[in-house]
DNA sequence: AAGAACTCCTGTTGGC
DNA sequence: TGCCAACAGGAGTTCT
C-alpha cells in the first residue's frame, strides 16, 4: 500500500487519536512481522504516553514518554484502523470501524487511555515495528542511510545532479532507491517520470550533465516529484483495492494517475498521441509513454 | 561496488 | 465453475 503520501495520510489520521494518549495495553498476536518484535516489546510500550507522531520517508515514528521511539513501517500491505470508544463515535462514528472482531491479520492492537483502539493489520507481513532510544534514532539501522525528504527544502536540480552522478542504473531504479531520495515507490516514480517527460529506462547519470539541451531534465524531475507527492498528500493518498485511511475514509489520488495501471490507454500529455506501455524493471511494473518520455 | 535477481508472505485477478 | 500463474503500494539479502 504505502508510499510517502499514504504514510503521511496515515500519520495525520492517527495523530489526533494517539498523541497525548497513554498506551495502556498492547496486544501482540505473533512473535514477528517481517522481523521479530524487539525484546520486551509489550513491557516497553505499555504505560507510555505518545508525545508526538512523526514521519520520515515511509516510516511512522511515535515518540514515547520513556524517551524511546516506536518505529513502524507498513511494508506492502500494512494498515492501521481506529476503533473509537464504544458509544462515543459521535458525529464521525459512521467513518470508523466499530467491530470488536479480530481479523487473522490483526497483528497488533494498541489500547489507549482515551478508550480508543488502534489496530495494525498486515496480511503479507512485510511491515515491521522496532523500538530505539530517542538519542539513537538517527544512527539506528532504519534511519541511517535514508535519503532526503522529497517534500523538504533540499530537493532541487542540483541535488538530483549530485545524487545521480555516475549512476548507470535506469531512472526508475534510482528513484526507487531510498538511500537517494526517500519516500517514492512504484506508483509515484512512474507518475513523476511521466510528469517530467523522462523515460524510466534512461540512465540516471544522464541527468547529471550541467549544460546542453537536457539541462532542464534534473529541474523538471525535481519539480515533478514534489508536485506529484504534494498533490497526492492533498488527496489523502491513493486507494487501491480496499485500502482505507485510519478513519475509514478513502484517498482519491488514484483517479489522478496519468500512467500507473493504465496500460493501453492514450497518453494524457497534451498533444501526445502515444499509448501507455507496461514494462518490467527491477522486477516491478513500470508504466510510461514511449512517445513523450525521453 | 554497483546493479540486478531473488526473497519474504498472503490475497486477488485474469486467462484457460 | 475451478485451477493456476502472474502480480500486488517494499526493501533486505545474495548473486554477478
Amino acid at each position: 500500500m504505502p508510499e510517502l503520501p499514504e504514510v503521511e495520510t496515515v500519520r495525520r489520521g492517527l495523530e489526533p487519536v494517539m498523541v497525548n494518549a497513554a498506551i495502556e495495553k498492547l496486544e501482540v498476536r505473533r512473535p514477528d512481522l517481517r522481523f521479530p518484535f524487539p525484546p520486551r516489546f509489550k513491557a516497553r510500550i505499555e504505560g507510555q504516553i505518545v508525545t508526538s507522531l512523526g514521519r520520515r520517508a515511509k516510516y511512522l515514528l511515535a515518540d514515547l514518554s520513556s524517551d524511546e521511539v516506536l518505529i513502524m513501517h507498513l511494508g506492502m500491505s500494512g494498515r492501521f484502523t481506529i476503533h473509537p470508544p464504544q458509544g462515543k463515535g459521535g458525529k464521525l462514528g459512521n467513518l470508523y470501524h466499530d467491530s470488536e472482531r479480530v481479523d487473522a491479520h490483526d497483528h497488533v492492537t494498541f489500547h489507549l487511555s482515551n478508550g480508543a483502539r488502534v489496530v495494525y493489520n498486515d496480511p503479507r507481513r512485510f511491515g515491521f515495528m522496532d523500538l530505539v532510544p530517542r538519542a539513537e534514532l538517527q544512527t539506528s539501522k532504519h534511519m541511517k542511510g535514508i535519503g532526503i525528504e522529497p517534500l523538504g527544502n533540499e530537493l532541487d536540480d542540483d541535488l538530483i545532479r549530485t545524487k545521480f552522478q555516475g549512476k548507470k542504473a535506469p531512472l526508475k531504479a534510482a528513484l526507487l532507491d531510498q538511500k537517494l531520495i526517500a519516500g517514492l515507490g512504484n506508483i509515484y516514480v512512474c507518475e513523476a517520470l511521466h510528469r517530467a517527460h523522462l523515460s524510466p529506462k534512461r540512465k540516471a547519470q544522464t541527468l547529471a550533465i550541467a549544460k546542453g539541451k537536457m539541462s532542464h531534465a534534473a529541474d523538471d524531475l525535481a519539480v515533478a516529484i514534489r508536485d506529484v507527492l504534494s498533490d497526492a498528500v492533498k488527496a489523502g493518498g491513493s486507494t487501491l483495492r480496499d485500502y482505507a485511511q485510519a478513519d475509514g475514509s478513502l484517498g482519491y489520488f488514484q483517479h489522478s494517475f496519468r500512467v500507473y495501471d493504465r496500460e493501453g490507454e492514450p497518453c494524457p500529455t497534451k498533444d501526445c498521441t502515444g499509448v501507455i506501455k507496461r514494462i518490467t524493471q527491477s522486477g516491478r511494473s513500470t508504466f510510461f509513454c514511449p512517445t513523450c518520455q525521453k
Side-chain angles (χ1 to χ4, degrees):
Chain A
M1 161 190 58
E3 302 181 37
L4 186 153
E6 290 75 35
V7 177
E8 176 60 21
T9 299
V10 169
R11 190 197 69 76
R12 293 179 185 186
L14 294 178
E15 186 173 45
V17 178
M18 295 189 79
V19 173
N20 294 326
I23 302 167
E24 293 186 335
K25 180 182 168 192
L26 184 74
E27 288 183 88
V28 185
R29 300 189 178 80
R30 50 176 301 124
D32 55 24
L33 293 171
R34 181 174 185 181
F35 309 116
F37 288 104
R40 302 180 52 251
F41 186 51
K42 185 175 158 75
R44 289 160 73 185
I45 293 273
E46 289 185 341
Q48 302 308 320
I49 295 165
V50 179
T51 55
S52 66
L53 184 63
R55 178 190 59 75
R56 171 78 169 101
K58 301 174 192 173
Y59 292 87
L60 285 169
L61 304 171
D63 280 296
L64 305 180
S65 46
S66 56
D67 285 331
E68 290 203 287
V69 181
L70 172 60
I71 301 174
M72 297 174 281
H73 194 290
L74 305 179
M76 288 279 260
S77 58
R79 57 204 61 187
F80 281 100
T81 308
I82 297 167
H83 301 250
Q86 290 300 316
K88 292 187 182 175
K91 62 185 177 187
L92 293 177
N94 61 332
L95 289 177
Y96 293 88
H97 295 237
D98 288 324
S99 171
E100 297 268 5
R101 190 175 63 85
V102 175
D103 179 89
H105 304 299
D106 286 349
H107 305 307
V108 179
T109 299
F110 299 81
H111 295 263
L112 304 178
S113 53
N114 55 25
R117 285 175 297 136
V118 171
V119 176
Y120 179 72
N121 179 287
D122 187 356
R124 296 178 73 179
R125 303 201 304 276
F126 288 167
F128 58 87
M129 297 185 187
D130 202 358
L131 276 169
V132 300
R134 183 98 192 75
E136 296 171 19
L137 179 65
Q138 298 310 324
T139 54
S140 69
K141 64 183 173 200
H142 306 298
M143 296 296 109
K144 177 184 57 178
I146 291 282
I148 62 148
E149 276 296 308
L151 292 181
N153 296 320
E154 301 166 275
L155 178 59
D156 60 14
D157 54 336
D158 284 337
L159 187 285
I160 284 182
R161 288 194 186 93
T162 303
K163 294 276 190 185
F164 289 7
Q165 184 77 45
K167 287 239 166 279
K168 298 191 193 314
L171 279 176
K172 173 73 185 295
L175 290 174
L176 283 174
D177 187 345
Q178 303 298 299
K179 296 189 292 302
L180 302 176
I181 300 168
L184 292 164
N186 206 37
I187 290 179
Y188 297 106
V189 166
C190 292
E191 294 297 314
L193 286 170
H194 182 265
R195 288 184 182 218
H197 304 301
L198 291 168
S199 170
K201 296 192 280 191
R202 186 170 154 160
K203 282 181 170 44
Q205 64 183 359
T206 65
L207 294 203
I209 58 173
K211 298 188 188 303
K213 64 175 180 177
M214 290 312 299
S215 62
H216 290 292
D219 188 53
D220 291 347
L221 183 56
V223 170
I225 290 168
R226 302 175 68 102
D227 283 356
V228 73
L229 292 179
S230 58
D231 286 354
V233 168
K234 282 180 200 152
S238 302
T239 302
L240 273 65
R241 296 168 197 84
D242 60 349
Y243 158 72
Q245 295 179 22
D247 67 358
S249 61
L250 303 177
Y252 53 87
F253 191 76
Q254 67 278 9
H255 303 302
S256 299
F257 291 169
R258 299 185 188 180
V259 291
Y260 185 81
D261 206 19
R262 292 191 180 281
E263 182 181 19
E265 296 184 29
C267 175
T269 298
K270 190 176 186 323
D271 297 328
C272 180
T273 57
V275 174
I276 305 308
K277 198 176 166 193
R278 184 180 83 88
I279 60 173
T280 298
Q281 291 178 290
S282 312
R284 323 284 306 276
S285 287
T286 295
F287 298 89
F288 75 113
C289 172
T291 303
C292 70
Q293 291 181 250
K294 297 300 182 188

